[in-house]
Amino acid sequence: MEKTIEDPPTSAVLLDHCHFSQVIFNSVEKFYIPGGDVTCRYTFTQNFIPRQKDWIGIFRAFKCFQDKLEQGLLKWRNQGQTLQVGWKTVREYYTFMWVTLPIDLNNKSAKQQEVQFKAYYLPKDDEYYQFCYVDQDGVVRGASIPFQFRPENEEDILVVTTQGEVEEIEQHNKELCKENQELKDSCVSLQKQNSDMQAELQKKQEELETLQSINKKLELKVKEQKDYWETELLQLKEQNQKMSSENEKMGIRVDQLQAQLSTQEKEMEKLVQGDQDKTEQLEHLKKENGHLFLSLTEQRKDQKKLEQTVEEMKQNETTTMKKQQELMDENFDLSRRLSEKKMIYNALQREKERLEGENDLLKRENSRLLSYMGLDFNSLPYQVPTSDEGGAGQNPGLVYGNPYSGIQESSSPSQLSIKKCPICKADDICDHTLEQQQMQALCLNCPICDKIFPATEKQIFEDHVFCHSL
């Protein structure tokens, strides 16, 4: 048995469970002449609804079934009765054609349908065959009366031909053979193209899976890094708050000490003033003066200690300010690195979406090609361009050419030229130019999309450039 490129859906459903009267075959001939196309006409009953994967196959009948037909003893029954056929399952078809779905089933004309079997796929023997309608679940919904593929007998018709007609028939036969060979070659070409597209699709799917795994790893790494930075940022904020509160407390303490010092200075001034006013009473107050002198000495010692304490407080305040500035610088650096990581993540996300779009496009193209595998080559709405139409520079394995064929040409560096400094307008190399060269040395520029990466992220830069070559 011959098969087309795509096998129809079949099943091992027993024939006792089939419904042969839901599709009725009309105008079935007793025999068809070999070498010509066969048109199969059929009608849907009222309760039957066709589906997209339904098909009509040609099956071989029983030998005893053929003998009864020749003897005229078989009574054909196709109105809900059980039908004895020459096959056990729908997998035993000789050839098949897909059913065309009508646009409006409610229309009476939509019930009348037909399919055409090409002569190349029809049987070449004179056995009895029959049409069978099989739905997408592999259940038989209708069967025709048996028929044969044989020429008309000489008893039935007498054909009178001239020499010119014989030569014309032979020429037509040669043309049909040539057309048959061309159809075979085109079928082989389509099969090869399908295998190439399948290999390309498999390669793209593997690349997509690789990129998805890399993307998941990067997302996990970015999430872990982000969580670590957020934790560290919270710790720095807490330390900053503690240092601010301690600084405030130290300021309050210094103010208290200064107030005490000013109070003591006022008291000492009062004592000095009282000493001057009471010079006449100095002799009477020598003992009291001695006590006061000792108290004044102790107060001076305390004043020196307080001054030393104030100096230490000032030094601690300066150290605290420096440490706070360092923490703020470190916080700013962490924020900048986080923003760079987010930019890299967004670039990888866009690259991922682009690859998914290309993959979907290839899937749709492959589905369109597969949908036409079971049809005639001349009825296909799309044909692959030849090497003359597509140009010699395109890849023969790709339908639309290489999408990255112009990247290297557009990204090739131009000749070096001396440019003026945009700041001081000098022709020679100046300090501004040296600073720009140092900044470029610390960065990595993508030669394709001109995206800038820090020099510390060399691995990410290489992955980015690699994605352009996919």
Side-chain angles (χ1 to χ4, degrees):
M1 292 188 297
E2 297 183 7
K3 298 182 181 180
T4 55
I5 297 176
E6 181 183 0
D7 292 336
T10 59
S11 67
V13 178
L14 298 176
L15 296 178
D16 294 338
H17 298 85
C18 298
H19 305 280
F20 291 93
S21 62
Q22 293 184 352
V23 178
I24 300 174
F25 291 90
N26 305 321
S27 303
V28 180
E29 303 291 340
K30 293 181 180 180
F31 64 90
Y32 294 96
I33 299 175
D37 298 340
V38 174
T39 302
C40 174
R41 297 178 177 84
Y42 55 95
T43 304
F44 295 127
T45 58
Q46 184 177 2
N47 297 326
F48 179 72
I49 299 176
R51 290 182 287 180
Q52 185 176 5
K53 288 293 184 178
D54 294 356
W55 54 281
I56 294 177
I58 296 179
F59 294 81
R60 179 176 294 175
F62 274 130
K63 177 63 178 173
C64 61
F65 194 77
Q66 303 170 13
D67 296 339
K68 290 181 179 181
L69 279 175
E70 294 174 356
Q71 297 172 7
L73 299 177
L74 179 65
K75 294 182 180 179
W76 184 259
R77 292 176 294 175
N78 195 19
Q79 300 296 331
Q81 302 296 329
T82 303
L83 177 67
Q84 185 177 12
V85 294
W87 40 273
K88 296 181 180 180
T89 65
V90 295
R91 296 190 181 94
E92 300 179 14
Y93 63 91
Y94 187 89
T95 184
F96 77 97
M97 288 294 293
W98 295 110
V99 172
T100 303
L101 295 179
I103 299 176
D104 186 10
L105 288 175
N106 296 324
N107 190 0
K108 186 176 180 180
S109 61
K111 299 292 185 179
Q112 303 288 336
Q113 299 291 324
E114 66 179 28
V115 293
Q116 189 176 39
F117 291 88
K118 293 297 179 181
Y120 176 77
Y121 298 103
L122 296 176
K124 303 299 187 292
D125 53 18
D126 58 352
E127 299 291 337
Y128 279 91
Y129 293 88
Q130 61 182 152
F131 298 117
C132 290
Y133 188 101
V134 185
D135 62 9
Q136 67 178 13
D137 297 327
V139 179
V140 179
R141 300 296 182 179
S144 69
I145 61 174
F147 53 86
Q148 287 181 292
F149 293 95
R150 63 178 178 83
E152 296 182 355
N153 295 328
E154 295 181 357
E155 299 175 355
D156 298 334
I157 187 170
L158 179 62
V159 179
V160 179
T161 59
T162 62
Q163 182 65 27
E165 291 177 350
V166 170
E167 293 177 356
E168 183 179 356
I169 291 172
E170 290 179 355
Q171 182 65 25
H172 183 64
N173 190 17
K174 290 180 181 180
E175 292 177 356
L176 288 177
C177 293
K178 183 178 180 181
E179 182 180 357
N180 186 15
Q181 185 64 31
E182 290 177 354
L183 290 174
K184 288 182 179 180
D185 296 338
S186 63
C187 183
V188 172
S189 177
L190 285 174
Q191 290 177 352
K192 182 179 179 182
Q193 182 182 358
N194 184 29
S195 61
D196 293 339
M197 293 296 294
Q198 289 284 353
E200 185 69 18
L201 179 60
Q202 183 67 24
K203 183 178 179 182
K204 291 293 183 181
Q205 288 178 349
E206 292 176 357
E207 292 176 356
L208 179 60
E209 292 176 356
T210 303
L211 290 175
Q212 287 178 349
S213 61
I214 293 174
N215 188 21
K216 289 181 180 179
K217 292 179 181 179
L218 289 176
E219 288 178 353
L220 183 60
K221 186 175 180 181
V222 169
K223 185 177 179 182
E224 293 177 354
Q225 190 71 19
K226 184 179 179 181
D227 295 338
Y228 173 75
W229 285 342
E230 288 178 353
T231 305
E232 189 174 357
L233 184 60
L234 290 175
Q235 292 178 357
L236 291 175
K237 287 182 178 179
E238 291 177 357
Q239 292 180 2
N240 190 13
Q241 291 177 356
K242 289 181 180 179
M243 295 298 294
S244 299
S245 61
E246 290 179 359
N247 190 13
E248 291 176 356
K249 291 180 180 179
M250 293 298 293
I252 294 171
R253 181 61 178 168
V254 169
D255 293 338
Q256 292 177 355
L257 292 175
Q258 288 179 354
Q260 292 178 3
L261 181 60
S262 61
T263 303
Q264 290 178 0
E265 287 178 351
K266 289 179 181 180
E267 290 178 356
M268 188 175 62
E269 288 177 356
K270 289 179 181 181
L271 290 174
V272 172
Q273 185 67 29
D275 184 49
Q276 291 177 357
D277 295 338
K278 297 180 180 180
T279 305
E280 295 178 355
Q281 300 176 2
L282 182 60
E283 294 177 353
H284 300 286
L285 300 174
K286 284 184 179 180
K287 292 182 180 180
E288 187 178 357
N289 191 17
H291 293 294
L292 291 172
F293 181 77
L294 292 175
S295 177
L296 180 61
T297 305
E298 291 177 358
Q299 287 179 0
R300 286 179 178 177
K301 291 180 180 179
D302 292 338
Q303 183 181 0
K304 290 181 180 180
K305 290 180 179 179
L306 289 174
E307 290 176 355
Q308 292 177 357
T309 304
V310 170
E311 187 66 25
E312 291 177 357
M313 290 294 181
K314 290 181 178 180
Q315 292 178 358
N316 290 334
E317 183 179 3
T318 304
T319 305
T320 303
M321 293 296 291
K322 290 182 179 180
K323 188 173 183 181
Q324 183 179 3
Q325 185 64 31
E326 291 177 356
L327 292 175
M328 290 177 67
D329 294 339
E330 187 177 1
N331 187 14
F332 177 76
D333 184 59
L334 290 175
S335 300
R336 182 181 59 80
R337 291 170 61 188
L338 179 60
S339 63
E340 291 176 354
K341 293 291 184 179
K342 287 182 178 179
M343 290 173 62
I344 294 171
Y345 171 75
N346 292 330
L348 292 176
Q349 189 69 22
R350 289 194 298 269
E351 188 69 14
K352 174 189 173 184
E353 293 175 356
R354 184 182 67 79
L355 291 176
E356 287 178 350
E358 292 180 358
N359 189 23
D360 292 339
L361 182 60
L362 289 175
K363 285 182 178 180
R364 291 196 296 269
E365 182 68 17
N366 190 25
S367 299
R368 186 177 67 79
L369 291 175
L370 291 177
S371 65
Y372 290 123
M373 289 295 177
L375 301 177
D376 187 12
F377 178 77
N378 293 327
S379 64
L380 290 177
Y382 173 80
Q383 294 184 357
V384 179
T386 60
S387 60
D388 295 334
E389 298 176 355
Q394 295 182 353
N395 191 346
L398 298 176
V399 177
Y400 297 101
N402 187 3
Y404 302 105
S405 61
I407 291 178
Q408 296 180 355
E409 295 176 1
S410 62
S411 61
S412 61
S414 60
Q415 295 182 355
L416 297 175
S417 62
I418 300 175
K419 297 181 180 180
K420 293 183 178 181
C421 178
I423 299 175
C424 61
K425 306 298 182 180
D427 295 334
D428 298 331
I429 298 176
C430 61
D431 295 336
H432 305 94
T433 307
L434 293 176
E435 291 179 359
Q436 292 179 357
Q437 292 178 355
Q438 291 177 359
M439 289 298 294
Q440 292 178 356
L442 296 176
C443 299
L444 299 174
N445 295 331
C446 178
I448 299 174
C449 64
D450 295 333
K451 189 172 182 180
I452 299 175
F453 294 86
T456 57
E457 300 177 355
K458 185 176 180 182
Q459 184 63 37
I460 297 176
F461 169 74
E462 293 178 353
D463 295 339
H464 174 77
V465 175
F466 177 71
C467 289
H468 283 297
S469 63
L470 297 178

